[in-house]
Amino acid sequence: AFLDGRQWDSSVSRTLYNPGQGLTRRVIACLDVRTNDDGDLVVTKGDQYDVRAKAGTAAQGLVRNLGKPVDMARKYYDQGADEITFLNITSFRNCPLADLPMMEILRKTAETVFVPLTIGGGIRETVDATGSKISALQVATMYFKSGADKVSIGSDAVLAAMEYYRNGKRLSGQTAIETISAAYGIQAVVVSIDPKRVYVHFDSDTAHRVIRTSQIGPSGEEYCWYQCTMKGGRESTDLDVQQLVEAVEAMGAGEILLNCIDKDGSNTGFDLELIREVKRCTKVPVIASSGAGKPAHFTEVFRKTSSDAALGAGMFHRGEYTVKDVKDHLLKDGLLIRQVEEAP
């Protein structure tokens, strides 16, 4: 991490922008990390955020175990991933100061992986075992010292945005986004957004900002709005995605990780309409997430939206495609990527 002088692969910074050619298309590998039913930290993947194996399978009801976090991060780095994102989705994220396993994963990963590392989950104010209050900034600093280059904030960002609007769009200066970006720069703060579609028959049916969609709703609805959720999609809010993006940008978010509950685990491609709508209302970089199932989906999102990066998870974890397969496909389709030299 930048706190201990760790250097990224020089080819990453060297090729993010090429004069005359434009921006390099970033391919990010995402690892959802949690404890499995045996108490081990594993990489898992859900379908619409449900990480337990479906009925009718040998592992029915058990947390899907797709591999060891450090080993998989190194594998994706070797394949050419431009960044690695760890999303800490297990229960111990509720007490980051005791979150020694996740910090150890970051430390070990940082020893051999030289692209930016992002950690999400539990980046918020908490209380330690002695009852002392620990700020979100202190929690983030611990992750930075363990090897992270960026922190990703989810539910806390939604709560902060609600407060922002209640206060007449006035900044408090005390939110996790504001304090961390003030201390480390906006490039260190990612906001992870988990929206889902709410279909309506007419744009006048809701006060929220709607789009006319090509994906008709279950009752023939031609319009929808994107409702922001919290707690891994388990809790809905009255905040639409445009409101959330505008609020967190004002607070100092440097990047948006744009998930989509409807697309998660579908392998049918990204929600292009959602991505276009978010890019329309923000100036900060947007990472497209949820739905990637094959290399062509990455070409599609870069061709049909102005997404700054795209993220893959299950298609990589299951071994269906490698990061290199995706980047080779992008290169074949004429898109600029950071190429990685093959090891001798």
Side-chain angles (χ1 to χ4, degrees), residues 25-32 45 83-87 118 152 190 192 256-260 264 269-270 275 286-294 297-298 301-302 307-317 323 326:
R25 309 298 184 170
R26 287 182 289 148
V27 177
I28 300 173
C30 180
L31 294 81
D32 290 346
K45 185 69 185 79
E83 296 184 22
I84 303 291
T85 294
F86 290 108
L87 295 182
T118 300
S152 179
V190 180
S192 180
I256 301 295
L257 173 55
L258 184 58
N259 307 297
C260 179
D264 185 64
F270 301 95
I275 297 163
V286 172
I287 303 167
S289 176
S290 303
K294 58 185 180 181
H297 290 150
F298 287 78
V301 75
F302 288 134
S307 176
D308 301 275
L311 180 150
M315 61 182 281
F316 298 145
H317 305 336
V323 176
V326 171

Side-chain angles (χ1 to χ4, degrees), residues 177-255:
I177 298 171
E178 291 171 270
T179 56
I180 298 169
S181 63
Y184 294 107
I186 65 170
Q187 82 291 335
V189 180
V190 180
V191 169
S192 180
I193 300 178
D194 297 323
K196 63 180 179 181
R197 287 181 172 229
V198 177
Y199 284 97
V200 292
H201 286 284
F202 304 101
D203 57 1
S204 57
D205 287 347
T206 176
H208 292 287
R209 281 173 279 188
V210 302
I211 64 166
R212 188 162 192 165
T213 177
S214 62
Q215 300 172 36
I216 303 302
S219 299
E221 300 96 334
E222 295 184 1
Y223 295 89
C224 74
W225 64 279
Y226 287 95
Q227 181 181 47
C228 292
T229 69
M230 302 191 299
K231 299 179 181 178
R234 297 187 301 276
E235 188 173 315
S236 299
T237 75
D238 192 39
L239 203 65
D240 61 48
V241 70
Q242 297 94 330
Q243 290 173 309
L244 180 54
V245 167
E246 290 169 10
V248 300
E249 182 177 358
M251 293 176 205
E255 199 163 35

Side-chain angles (χ1 to χ4, degrees), residues 78-280:
D78 289 340
Q79 292 174 2
D82 297 303
E83 296 184 22
I84 303 291
T85 294
F86 290 108
L87 295 182
N88 179 2
I89 63 171
T90 197
S91 59
F92 60 76
R93 70 181 184 272
N94 293 324
C95 188
L97 296 184
D99 200 353
L100 299 181
M102 196 67 233
M103 293 181 189
E104 185 64 15
I105 285 173
L106 284 169
R107 280 192 287 267
K108 288 184 176 179
T109 301
E111 291 174 359
T112 59
V113 172
F114 304 106
V115 292
L117 302 177
T118 300
I119 174 70
I123 315 296
R124 61 175 179 271
E125 184 179 282
T126 189
V127 176
D128 68 12
T130 69
S132 300
K133 185 180 292 186
I134 307 297
S135 70
L137 175 58
Q138 289 173 291
V139 174
T141 297
M142 292 175 60
Y143 282 124
F144 289 140
K145 287 182 176 179
S146 297
D149 298 286
K150 308 178 190 179
V151 293
S152 179
I153 301 171
S155 296
D156 228 42
V158 178
L159 295 173
M162 290 177 176
E163 187 68 19
Y164 171 76
Y165 287 112
R166 279 196 296 268
N167 292 336
K169 298 187 178 181
R170 291 194 302 272
L171 297 173
S172 70
Q174 302 301 311
T175 65
I177 298 171
E178 291 171 270
T179 56
I180 298 169
S181 63
Y184 294 107
I186 65 170
Q187 82 291 335
V189 180
V190 180
V191 169
S192 180
I193 300 178
D194 297 323
K196 63 180 179 181
R197 287 181 172 229
V198 177
Y199 284 97
V200 292
H201 286 284
F202 304 101
D203 57 1
S204 57
D205 287 347
T206 176
H208 292 287
R209 281 173 279 188
V210 302
I211 64 166
R212 188 162 192 165
T213 177
S214 62
Q215 300 172 36
I216 303 302
S219 299
E221 300 96 334
E222 295 184 1
Y223 295 89
C224 74
W225 64 279
Y226 287 95
Q227 181 181 47
C228 292
T229 69
M230 302 191 299
K231 299 179 181 178
R234 297 187 301 276
E235 188 173 315
S236 299
T237 75
D238 192 39
L239 203 65
D240 61 48
V241 70
Q242 297 94 330
Q243 290 173 309
L244 180 54
V245 167
E246 290 169 10
V248 300
E249 182 177 358
M251 293 176 205
E255 199 163 35
I256 301 295
L257 173 55
L258 184 58
N259 307 297
C260 179
I261 293 176
D262 309 282
K263 282 287 192 175
D264 185 64
S266 69
N267 302 315
T268 58
F270 301 95
D271 189 330
L272 305 181
E273 293 178 334
L274 169 63
I275 297 163
R276 290 191 198 105
E277 182 61 19
V278 169
K279 284 295 295 183
R280 185 190 63 78

